[in-house]
Amino acid sequence: MTPDGDQLRDGHDHGGQGHSHSHGHHANTRAVGFAALLTGGFMIVELLGGIAAGSLALIADAGHMLTDFAALAFAWFAFRVARRPADARRTYGFDRLSVMAAFVNGLALFAVTAWIMIEAVERLTDPRPVTGGLMLAVAVAGLVVNILSFWVLSRGDRENLNLRAAILHVIGDLLGSVGAIFAALVILGTGWYPIDPILSVLVALLILRSAWRVVRESGHILLEGSPAGFDAAAIAADIAGAVPGVAEICHLHAWSISEERPMVTLEAILAPATDPETARAAIKARLAERFGFDHATVEIKAAAKPSSGASGLPPGRARPI
């Protein structure tokens, strides 16, 4: 789960796996970079075509492609920057930069959506002619570009969250091109121009949905929110029950540097005669294998000696978090 950049920062020797991770990382970088160039280049073509044809649907889809180009560019940038080593001022490296960029990009999407909605309302009240033939040609070209981008990205590491997010963006563009083709066919067949602003509203709603998810998820990470599915009480109870010699787990906290880099810290209180280093290694192994935390800071504390009248928890119990 730890990206290749983590291996470089932590200085761990991963043997033969290091080369394969590095190769996959470079392959993902190239795939996302190529898809970003395709998307950004055709975005300009679609915008100019939409203006020439008078099609708000094409202009809206170009806006959608702009957001996806930004997302793909940020993904490419994240792959590139993540390879840089940490330094004295940035001990966790540079992964958080892509999260900050995603947050700003998501806020910008709200402005794009508002403009499309306002323009669509104006065109519904005052329909304008649309050149259906030009609109169809540009939409078909967009479909071809999106299929090519999807093919390039699908050849990368599909387990990588950054790459999977990029693929979802391209699928959204592909659906927008299909919708624009449908609108162009309706205009050519019936001359019903309102289909163009109606379709642009649907595309805008797709953009708005994506924008909200980007802002919500990136904002959660920036606010040091816990990773999705994190249950402190369940993790504490699991470790206390599964790792021999652990009497209690307390002060358990989790957050994320990026979507792919969850972190956890905790304090483990050990039963008497338990070897601290053995317990620490077992706790870290359990966190990685069971809960996906490859980076854990575990503080070890010996159990207090019982005194008369004192009550304590028996070994294997977890203190509520």
Side-chain angles (χ1 to χ4, degrees):
M1 181 172 178
T2 305
D4 187 62
D6 284 347
Q7 297 170 13
L8 295 175
R9 280 188 288 271
D10 294 341
H12 294 166
D13 181 8
H14 294 268
Q17 290 184 347
H19 176 74
S20 62
H21 284 314
S22 178
H23 176 75
H25 184 88
H26 288 297
N28 290 341
T29 303
R30 288 193 300 269
V32 172
F34 184 68
L37 289 176
L38 284 176
T39 301
F42 189 77
M43 172 199 69
I44 298 174
V45 174
E46 188 170 41
L47 176 61
L48 296 176
I51 294 173
S55 170
L56 183 60
L58 284 181
I59 296 175
D61 193 50
H64 193 195
M65 292 191 78
L66 172 62
T67 63
D68 290 343
F69 166 72
L72 290 169
F74 289 146
W76 176 84
F77 185 67
F79 278 129
R80 295 282 297 180
V81 174
R83 295 184 298 181
R84 297 180 60 182
D87 55 35
R89 297 183 62 190
R90 291 166 287 264
T91 57
Y92 280 120
F94 295 82
D95 284 354
R96 184 62 66 85
L97 183 62
S98 64
V99 179
M100 294 175 61
F103 183 76
V104 174
N105 181 37
L107 292 179
L109 293 181
F110 287 108
V112 173
T113 302
W115 178 83
I116 294 173
M117 292 288 193
I118 294 172
E119 186 69 18
V121 171
E122 291 181 358
R123 293 203 178 197
L124 283 172
T125 55
D126 181 21
R128 304 175 191 175
V130 177
T131 306
L134 180 58
M135 179 181 178
L136 179 61
V138 174
V140 169
L143 180 63
V144 173
V145 168
N146 287 318
I147 290 174
L148 180 58
S149 296
F150 177 80
W151 178 78
V152 170
L153 290 174
S154 64
R155 294 169 63 85
D157 179 13
R158 297 289 290 273
E159 297 301 317
N160 184 276
L161 292 177
N162 206 4
L163 189 69
R164 284 163 55 189
I167 291 175
L168 290 176
H169 279 289
V170 170
I171 291 175
D173 281 335
L174 194 151
L175 293 176
S177 295
V178 171
I181 291 173
F182 173 76
L185 292 174
V186 170
I187 291 172
L188 288 173
T190 66
W192 192 55
Y193 295 136
I195 186 64
D196 181 64
I198 289 173
L199 184 65
S200 69
V201 169
L202 296 178
V203 173
L205 292 176
L206 289 176
I207 298 175
L208 187 62
R209 180 174 179 269
S210 299
W212 170 243
R213 292 183 60 183
V214 168
V215 170
R216 183 186 63 191
E217 293 174 11
S218 58
H220 182 76
I221 293 175
L222 292 174
L223 290 173
E224 305 289 355
S226 59
F230 176 76
D231 186 333
I235 293 176
D238 178 88
I239 294 174
V243 178
V246 174
E248 297 180 54
I249 293 293
C250 51
H251 303 300
L252 178 58
H253 304 281
W255 70 101
S256 298
I257 299 301
S258 66
E259 188 178 7
E260 294 182 301
R261 292 185 65 196
M263 305 282 182
V264 64
T265 62
L266 60 87
E267 181 182 276
I269 300 178
L270 304 183
T274 302
D275 179 65
E277 293 308 315
T278 300
R280 190 196 311 273
I283 292 171
K284 288 190 173 185
R286 184 70 177 179
L287 287 169
E289 295 167 5
R290 175 75 173 172
F291 302 103
F293 287 101
D294 287 334
H295 188 112
T297 300
V298 179
E299 181 180 348
I300 298 295
K301 184 177 180 181
K305 294 182 179 180
S307 57
S308 57
S311 61
L313 291 173
R317 295 293 300 278
R319 179 186 298 174
I321 305 301

